[in-house]
Amino acid sequence: MSGLYIHIPFCSYKCSYCNFYSIVNMNDNDTYKKYIESLIIELKLRIPNYKSEIETIYLGGGTPSILGADLLKYLLDNIFEIVNNHNKNKKLIKEITIESNINNIDNEYISYLESIENIRISLGLQTFNEKSLSIINRHTDKYDIINALKLINNSTLENISVDFICGLPLNTENQIKDDILFSLDLLPKIKHISLYYLELTQSLQKKWHNFLPNDEESVIFYKKASNTLEGLGFKRYEVSNYSLPNYNSIHNTNYWLLKDYIGIGVSAVGCYNNERYNNIKMLKDYFYSISKHQLPQQQIEYLDMEIKKKEFIFLSLRTIKGIDIKKYNYIFNEDFYHHYNKIIMNNKEYFNISIEYLSIKNYYFNYVDEISLLLL
Ligand code: SF4
């Protein structure tokens, strides 16, 4: 089982902290339509060489919701047809996630999402603090967010995820915790919350120096928000992700389990047949490559067993469950504990150690990258 990632690179504005490739202010339906046609061609080029069944679809960006209901329907109708022809088991796609921007939420958009089986909406809220939103150049104010959440609350949508960022300019100790509680007041149906640390370039760190909490403060704010979430029944299942029972993101969980996925679109990444590819980053080059019916990729990395082993360890340790020992021993044909015994014993204060799993203790979960390095 595996997934399909579709990258929509267009955004209405550029958030100051964003490092993703995104094309701002295009507002051109002809280009959007041409891009959708290209995505369909790319999927048709890739899918004959793809052996796994596709069980999840994820539209990320950029801002997928910028396409609007009609173009999204056109895109997804075509994608569903290709995927259904490919999948032998003919089961329904288990999860279709669409990242959505507050500014694009209206009745028409919601009605379309309501018509899709197993739809999951993912909303980037970041914060309700208007001064913070303005500094980071998010073109939404508190009332835009409130109105959008109320519209969703009146809909039949149930599988709802929201994102917040910790460590934003002007963050105070209770801001993120209060943001979470406020969003749940407005939209009690939220099932999944992603809580990220703000990552900044050095120049932005300098520019915002006077407004930013320091690293220690950010960790305290994060812990407070994390405790609030756990108190409300949201279980942390990955470093940055919390969910109510049965609402983990299936698509993202498959990444952490190192399952294959196709990525299509400008700058998308995909991974199958023991290769990881990066697609072309410029829109015009992407269009050109597709017009020649060539795969629009600029880089391919062969994933040998050593690379896979490192990724399996690194990604598994990001999850609460940790490394599935039986799975590791089976995939890599070696005894995990025999191989890593010395390192684990020398650093055992960081780990929960059992026959089935090796995971990082809750207390050290904020230092997952540093601790994983011990085993890599
Ligand atoms: S909306 Fe998302 S992808 Fe677009 S600029 Fe902002 S953070 Fe980046």
Side-chain angles (χ1 to χ4, degrees):
M1 289 297 177
S2 65
L4 166 64
Y5 175 78
I6 303 171
H7 191 75
I8 308 295
F10 311 108
C11 288
S12 313
Y13 48 82
K14 186 76 184 171
C15 307
S16 331
Y17 58 85
C18 176
N19 295 323
F20 295 118
Y21 172 72
S22 56
I23 302 160
V24 179
N25 243 332
M26 171 146 304
N27 220 356
D28 172 3
N29 268 5
D30 290 341
T31 306
Y32 294 165
K33 184 92 190 289
K34 185 175 173 187
Y35 186 70
I36 289 170
E37 299 291 1
S38 304
L39 290 171
I40 295 165
I41 294 171
E42 186 185 352
L43 184 58
K44 285 181 177 166
L45 287 173
R46 290 195 179 279
I47 213 158
N49 294 319
Y50 192 70
K51 297 184 189 76
S52 311
E53 305 273 299
I54 292 173
E55 66 171 354
T56 59
I57 296 176
Y58 192 106
L59 275 82
T63 308
S65 55
I66 204 171
L67 297 178
D70 289 348
L71 285 177
L72 270 177
K73 180 171 173 4
Y74 178 70
L75 168 65
L76 281 177
D77 283 351
N78 278 281
I79 297 290
F80 291 151
E81 193 182 329
I82 300 167
V83 169
N84 288 335
N85 281 335
H86 168 78
N87 282 351
K88 293 194 180 64
N89 67 20
K90 303 298 167 208
K91 283 188 193 153
L92 266 183
I93 304 287
K94 274 190 185 168
E95 179 188 272
I96 297 146
T97 303
I98 306 188
E99 289 181 355
S100 304
N101 189 296
I102 289 297
N103 302 62
N104 305 129
I105 305 291
D106 58 21
N107 284 321
E108 197 192 354
Y109 182 71
I110 289 178
S111 301
Y112 172 56
L113 296 198
E114 286 176 323
S115 73
I116 306 172
E117 295 246 30
N118 294 335
I119 187 70
R120 176 174 182 270
I121 183 169
S122 171
L123 291 162
L125 304 188
Q126 321 317 2
T127 180
F128 286 94
N129 184 317
E130 295 199 313
K131 285 186 184 152
S132 298
L133 287 168
S134 160
I135 294 172
I136 63 176
N137 197 38
R138 299 277 298 182
H139 292 199
T140 46
D141 65 26
K142 187 175 173 179
Y143 295 96
D144 295 330
I145 305 177
I146 292 172
N147 290 336
L149 296 192
K150 282 183 177 166
L151 269 183
I152 296 170
N153 198 40
N154 291 332
S155 73
T156 59
L157 297 175
E158 284 294 331
N159 195 348
I160 301 158
S161 176
V162 296
D163 295 358
F164 290 102
I165 300 180
C166 175
L168 286 172
L170 302 177
N171 256 186
T172 52
E173 187 166 349
N174 288 324
Q175 180 73 54
I176 311 145
K177 172 182 83 68
D178 290 346
D179 284 342
I180 290 169
L181 293 174
F182 190 44
S183 68
L184 284 164
D185 267 354
L186 293 161
L187 185 53
K189 295 191 288 185
I190 292 171
K191 302 292 193 308
H192 185 281
I193 295 187
S194 299
L195 189 55
Y196 299 106
Y197 277 108
L198 180 65
E199 287 181 20
L200 290 178
T201 57
Q202 282 196 340
S203 64
L204 268 182
Q205 275 178 20
K206 264 192 195 157
K207 188 172 164 195
W208 291 347
H209 181 70
N210 291 334
F211 315 123
L212 287 174
N214 62 37
D215 289 352
E216 291 77 37
E217 286 170 329
S218 287
V219 170
I220 293 169
F221 302 170
Y222 196 103
K223 279 193 177 153
K224 200 156 196 179
S226 183
N227 290 341
T228 302
L229 282 169
E230 302 260 6
L232 292 165
F234 285 83
K235 196 169 177 319
R236 192 178 198 178
Y237 67 102
E238 197 263 352
V239 170
S240 311
N241 288 289
Y242 300 74
S243 71
L244 294 181
N246 302 321
Y247 282 96
N248 292 8
S249 157
I250 305 172
H251 185 88
N252 289 338
T253 300
N254 283 347
Y255 289 147
W256 304 321
L257 293 173
L258 225 61
K259 293 197 179 172
D260 282 352
Y261 60 97
I262 296 187
I264 56 172
V266 173
S267 79
V269 177
C271 193
Y272 55 90
N273 298 345
N274 295 320
E275 283 179 354
R276 176 168 32 233
Y277 60 87
N278 289 68
N279 269 357
I280 289 169
K281 286 200 163 57
M282 300 300 288
L283 187 62
K284 76 171 183 7
D285 298 339
Y286 178 80
F287 282 151
Y288 179 78
S289 182
I290 292 289
S291 73
K292 301 281 172 206
H293 281 243
Q294 290 165 356
L295 289 178
Q297 55 201 23
Q298 61 180 23
Q299 217 181 0
I300 304 174
E301 180 189 11
Y302 178 72
L303 302 176
D304 63 22
M305 274 306 188
E306 278 311 303
I307 296 177
K308 281 191 168 187
K309 206 186 279 183
K310 284 183 178 168
E311 294 194 352
F312 186 84
I313 291 172
F314 177 74
L315 293 171
S316 298
L317 286 177
R318 293 182 64 83
T319 65
I320 280 286
K321 270 187 170 176
I323 299 168
D324 182 332
I325 304 298
K326 214 163 145 191
K327 198 173 242 167
Y328 177 97
N329 293 350
Y330 174 73
I331 299 175
F332 301 109
N333 198 23
E334 69 179 17
D335 186 317
F336 177 81
Y337 279 129
H338 180 73
H339 200 78
Y340 291 101
N341 186 40
K342 204 170 156 196
I343 303 169
I344 293 168
M345 285 305 129
N346 285 342
N347 297 281
K348 61 176 186 253
E349 67 272 26
Y350 301 134
F351 297 111
N352 300 308
I353 307 167
S354 77
I355 297 173
E356 285 97 13
Y357 288 95
L358 177 85
S359 63
I360 293 179
K361 284 183 181 162
N362 232 342
Y363 183 78
Y364 295 108
F365 219 45
N366 280 323
Y367 307 101
V368 60
D369 290 349
E370 293 80 352
I371 296 171
S372 301
L373 278 178
L374 297 168
L375 297 175
L376 300 180

